Amino acid sequence: MSHPQTLDTLLQSVLDTPDLPVATSVFWVHHGTRLAGGDVTYLNQYVLVRIGRAFGACSFEPGQLDPDVCADLSGRPLADLLRGPAPVRLAALDAYLGQAHPHSEDPRAERVTLPYGTPEERAVARDRAIAGLLPDPDGRRIALIGVVNPLVAAIRERGGQCLPCDLNLRRTQWGDPVSPDMEEVLAEADAVVATGMTLGNGSFDRVLERCRERDLPLVLYAQSGSAVARAFLGSGVTAVSAEPFPFSQFSAEPTHLYRYREGTRE
């Protein structure tokens, strides 16, 4: 598949593919977490689609989907899901791409094992692995679009000045103001780290456009749309931390994420 320019062009290329499979199952997860030492309870809702050996995922906002979609869409042709609500489209696209090219079999992928541990230990290990994808962050302004406190800390550990941006949080664990305005931090940044949620909430194409315009490194950390994020590697995205379902927060046992860097040979 050639490098896509927008999320819609990638979606359309899959819709144009003959003999698309059936979505074996569609399900919904509501998950809350408060890490030790923090004062924020992260409330995440995911819709998930299974195709063959792969699960696709997309986080969504409260009220954006009704759980009835699970009964309505399980067992339906993939094309039906790819024409559904935005979070379902993203999860279905993610499942299709993950089935076609599993992360575990991708020669470009660097597999990182997250250790057995508490939620805090595993979150710190995960977010250090993500921050490790930033090229030369020392002394540079790093826009963080989609804030989790351990990732703010990991960026600072590498010497970066974090510019946090989030639709729901107003301050970090340390009291730093969090901007609700993505355009503000994209204009100031020397590099960008963005969550896979941007793929599902309609903001990804704008992030990608601004990073291309300003020639900014763009790192995606993706539980939502991990295989979709990978598809943009080398097309404006410089690195990806792909974490397919089941996610690290759902287990204390060792699990894996897959790191990709632009220019790694297939």
Side-chain angles (χ1 to χ4, degrees), residues 165-172 175-181:
C165 175
D166 197 282
L167 291 176
N168 297 313
L169 296 180
R170 295 284 69 88
R171 292 196 174 273
T172 69
D176 312 285
V178 175
S179 174
D181 185 353

Side-chain angles (χ1 to χ4, degrees), residues 17-193:
T17 302
D19 301 320
L20 288 173
V22 165
T24 307
S25 60
V26 178
F27 58 106
W28 179 86
V29 176
H30 190 177
H31 180 254
T33 299
R34 178 173 291 205
L35 298 175
D39 59 359
V40 174
T41 300
Y42 299 100
L43 297 174
N44 296 112
Q45 299 176 96
Y46 304 92
V47 62
L48 297 113
V49 174
R50 183 170 188 175
I51 298 174
R53 298 180 180 88
F55 293 87
C58 183
S59 181
F60 62 92
E61 297 292 339
Q64 195 175 3
L65 277 184
D66 189 293
D68 287 346
V69 298
C70 303
D72 295 341
L73 296 177
S74 293
R76 293 274 292 274
L78 179 64
D80 291 354
L81 278 67
L82 292 174
R83 295 186 177 96
V88 173
R89 291 199 305 269
L90 195 282
L93 182 61
D94 189 34
Y96 175 81
L97 296 174
Q99 165 68 10
H101 302 288
H103 292 292
S104 60
E105 299 176 10
D106 193 319
R108 300 170 297 173
E110 173 198 0
R111 189 168 77 169
V112 176
T113 300
L114 302 179
Y116 171 76
T118 65
E120 293 76 24
E121 291 166 340
R122 287 168 58 75
V124 167
R126 179 197 64 207
D127 292 344
R128 283 177 174 166
I130 296 167
L133 290 168
L134 280 165
D136 304 320
D138 191 21
R140 303 176 76 192
R141 295 165 296 178
I142 312 299
L144 176 59
I145 300 175
V147 174
V148 286
N149 286 310
L151 188 47
V152 175
I155 290 170
R156 288 172 172 166
E157 282 179 3
R158 296 202 61 208
Q161 175 190 346
C162 188
L163 307 178
C165 175
D166 197 282
L167 291 176
N168 297 313
L169 296 180
R170 295 284 69 88
R171 292 196 174 273
T172 69
Q173 178 180 336
W174 303 275
D176 312 285
V178 175
S179 174
D181 185 353
M182 183 178 74
E183 296 291 346
E184 178 181 78
V185 298
L186 288 172
E188 296 177 12
D190 300 310
V192 177
V193 180

